Amino acid sequence: MQSTRTFKDRVFLVIKGLAMGAANKVPGVSGGVVAFVAGFYEEFIYSLQRVNKTAFKLFFNGRFKSFYRYINGKFLGLLFFGMVVSYFSVSKILDYFIDNYELNVWSTFFGMILGSIYYISKDFKAWNRTTITALILGTAVGISISFLDPATENDNLWFVFFCGIISVSGMTLPGFSGSFILILLGNYVLLLVDSVNALYDTIADVFSGNFEFIKNEARMRMLKVLGVFTFGSITGLVTFSHLLNYILKHYKNITLATIVGFIIGSLGVVWPWKETIYKTNDNGSYILDSTGKQIVKNYQRFFPEASTETYIAIAYIALGILIVLGLEWYGQRTRQIKI
């Protein structure tokens, strides 16, 4: 599986990792959709579920080459490298565009989700009472999640571990946004902003030879929270992959129909025309995170009026659809070359 990849394939795999990383950070967008549309979702799930008892036995016995081959290490390594690079680069650029061109960015994502629905459903021929029911249930769950009110922040370590397990669903399950689920659980700012900033500050201190942060209880607490969240994410990633691999193997049509439903339901989260509602104190002033940004509480959605801005947004929706069709074309071409 690994040896047949050309240098060009490896470069594109890193780019796919960049796209997954950026998608996973944006509330409402799922990295799993990128994997699905780009044609490597099943290999991704297969590779993750190889992180099992056999893999650990190979690793702890010092058989590192066998371990690397067994878990399809080249594939996972390149993909996760792209995700990590994305978190420190592409996702930062994306943050800038969301801050300054919010409507156009959400419109592009909305178009990409529409394109994904078309891509996944166009070749699906197994529609029957069971799969249609699965589609309806998946859609209902997706829509319900998009209209839930967020909980309050909770830094209890068991809850943080649970957040890690749940948030990673966006990477493994197309249609579920891990970032948006963290907003609903009340811990988006704690886990993806404050704790990450604490890590940045700590790395900067270490490189400058300043170890005073060890005496900083708040910093150490944040690092502990980030560590527990990371451990929960890894646990969730491996657990979900085993579960999904089994379900895809034994109930593929029902699973695909449900995934299409989840993705349709996620359109409610990425609906471009919405007003962001921020958290406020009792006196009405905005609550800020550790970077000085206002904290998102939820979104108020509305239908747009006919205007130049609306027509431009619709053009960006079309662009989003074209991006997905381009990914589909590349995915099909890659599979044909391998065959």
Side-chain angles (χ1 to χ4, degrees):
M1 198 181 293
Q2 304 175 59
S3 58
T4 57
R5 282 200 164 88
T6 64
F7 175 75
K8 184 181 175 184
D9 289 332
R10 293 170 190 174
V11 170
F12 271 102
L13 198 51
V14 173
I15 292 171
K16 290 171 185 176
L18 289 169
M20 276 191 81
N24 281 325
K25 197 182 175 189
V26 178
V29 184
S30 163
V33 172
V34 176
F36 219 105
V37 175
F40 63 94
Y41 180 73
E42 290 194 38
E43 183 178 358
F44 179 55
I45 297 300
Y46 166 82
S47 302
L48 286 176
Q49 63 93 32
R50 300 281 279 185
V51 182
N52 53 27
K53 194 192 300 181
T54 304
F56 285 117
K57 194 180 290 183
L58 289 170
F59 182 83
F60 288 115
N61 286 338
R63 297 173 61 188
F64 300 121
K65 282 188 178 178
S66 299
F67 166 79
Y68 186 71
R69 281 196 300 270
Y70 181 78
I71 66 166
N72 197 13
K74 190 171 288 184
F75 169 82
L76 285 179
L78 290 168
L79 199 62
F80 281 112
F81 173 73
M83 289 184 202
V84 171
V85 171
S86 172
Y87 199 87
F88 294 97
S89 58
V90 177
S91 60
K92 297 293 181 187
I93 297 168
L94 200 54
D95 287 344
Y96 168 80
F97 280 107
I98 287 175
D99 288 341
N100 294 278
Y101 306 98
E102 187 176 15
L103 177 60
N104 295 339
V105 172
W106 285 118
S107 297
T108 305
F109 282 133
F110 190 81
M112 290 175 74
I113 302 278
L114 286 176
S116 302
I117 294 166
Y118 162 75
Y119 165 77
I120 297 168
S121 60
K122 71 181 174 66
D123 296 324
F124 189 75
K125 309 297 182 188
W127 292 114
N128 53 44
R129 186 179 296 176
T130 305
T131 52
I132 290 171
T133 301
L135 174 75
I136 293 168
L137 286 174
T139 304
V141 169
I143 291 172
S144 299
I145 286 173
S146 69
F147 286 97
L148 286 174
D149 287 326
T152 54
E153 186 173 287
N154 184 350
D155 68 350
N156 177 279
L157 295 181
W158 283 109
F159 186 70
V160 167
F161 180 75
F162 171 74
C163 286
I165 292 174
I166 297 300
S167 69
V168 85
S169 62
M171 199 183 296
T172 53
L173 198 56
F176 269 106
S177 166
S179 296
F180 188 71
I181 288 172
L182 281 181
I183 286 178
L184 294 179
L185 293 172
N187 274 3
Y188 178 83
V189 172
L190 175 72
L191 300 174
L192 292 188
V193 180
D194 293 347
S195 62
V196 173
N197 286 335
L199 178 63
Y200 287 159
D201 293 342
T202 302
I203 292 171
D205 287 344
V206 168
F207 276 105
S208 64
N210 180 7
F211 293 91
E212 287 296 315
F213 66 85
I214 294 172
K215 299 174 186 175
N216 186 329
E217 286 186 23
R219 175 87 67 85
M220 295 307 293
R221 176 67 179 176
M222 278 297 165
L223 292 176
K224 189 184 290 185
V225 163
L226 183 60
V228 171
F229 175 67
T230 303
F231 182 60
S233 298
I234 293 168
T235 303
L237 201 59
V238 175
T239 305
F240 272 126
S241 62
H242 280 80
L243 180 63
L244 283 168
N245 187 62
Y246 175 84
I247 293 172
L248 280 167
K249 195 177 288 182
H250 295 88
Y251 307 100
K252 187 166 186 176
N253 290 333
I254 294 174
T255 304
L256 290 176
T258 307
I259 285 172
V260 173
F262 287 155
I263 296 172
I264 292 171
S266 73
L267 287 170
V269 182
V270 294
W271 178 252
W273 295 278
K274 58 183 176 240
E275 184 182 340
T276 306
I277 301 169
Y278 297 103
K279 288 187 177 181
T280 56
N281 290 313
D282 293 335
N283 62 9
S285 60
Y286 290 114
I287 302 172
L288 305 178
D289 62 27
S290 60
T291 64
K293 285 187 174 181
Q294 296 167 352
I295 298 172
V296 176
K297 180 181 179 182
N298 215 322
Y299 300 101
Q300 175 108 29
R301 298 161 187 86
F302 60 90
F303 285 100
E305 296 178 354
S307 67
T308 304
E309 186 182 58
T310 300
Y311 297 137
I312 291 171
I314 291 170
Y316 275 98
I317 291 175
L319 174 65
I321 294 171
L322 288 173
I323 289 170
V324 171
L325 294 179
L327 280 171
E328 178 202 358
W329 171 81
Y330 174 74
Q332 286 180 341
R333 187 167 169 270
T334 304
R335 285 191 289 271
Q336 285 169 2
I337 289 169
K338 286 181 181 177
I339 291 167

